[in-house]
Amino acid sequence: MNNTDIKEILKNRFEAGKENHAGVTWEQVSERLTDKHLASLEYMEGTGGEPEFMVYDGNWFFVDGSKETPEGRRNLCYDMDARLKRKKFPPESSAWEEAQSHGITLMEENMYFALQAISPRDTKTSSWLATKPDLRKLGGAIFGDHKFGRTFIYHNGADSYYSVRGFRAVLKI
């Protein structure tokens, strides 16, 4: 995929979801996109994230808008520390390692609620979310999903990983 291809995909999604970011034009967004941003967005798209533009807390972001957690980013524990401490069957990578190596971050809890308010996501899967350091120090991490008509945030050991848990990426532009 080249920069023109990813920009066309993003533009089409932007136009389809105009009601979610009134007052912002595609031209304004496009002007901010650097080659580094586009490389991150290609990774998000290539792993099934379907990046969408989102205004949150006055800032501009691309976030994983896929209905379920991106298929190409599942079976990951939370971070490298958790992965290295896992004694049996450690995964090849972790959510934070993957995110950092591609210039993105994990979605935070409040942004996850805002995304869920646009339309329900993770009805059959779950997504690791950025976890505050005090909880992480205790060995845990948070994840979210949407069941029974509402969004839930849970906790798990950071070293756990499942075939239906991945992570939702965020790219600030």
Side-chain angles (χ1 to χ4, degrees), residues 73-146:
R73 287 186 256 138
R74 297 181 188 177
N75 287 311
L76 302 168
C77 59
Y78 183 74
D79 59 16
M80 184 171 65
D81 186 51
R83 181 177 59 80
L84 294 175
K85 287 180 179 174
R86 189 170 176 96
K87 299 197 185 341
K88 289 179 87 176
F89 311 112
E92 292 183 24
S93 190
S94 70
W96 271 112
E97 287 173 285
E98 290 297 307
Q100 290 173 334
S101 70
H102 294 284
I104 52 183
T105 62
L106 272 64
M107 187 173 285
E108 294 181 357
E109 183 176 358
N110 289 337
M111 183 183 274
Y112 188 72
F113 279 111
L115 180 66
Q116 292 283 9
I118 295 169
S119 70
R121 324 288 166 112
D122 292 331
T123 60
K124 298 174 187 165
T125 59
S126 61
S127 294
W128 284 118
L129 301 172
T131 301
K132 296 195 184 302
D134 57 338
L135 175 60
R136 185 61 199 94
K137 283 181 191 175
L138 297 173
I142 63 171
F143 65 94
D145 67 18
H146 191 92

Side-chain angles (χ1 to χ4, degrees), residues 54-61 108 110-111 114 172:
M54 181 177 185
V55 176
Y56 177 76
D57 202 22
N59 296 297
W60 292 8
F61 299 91
E108 294 181 357
N110 289 337
M111 183 183 274
K172 186 175 182 180

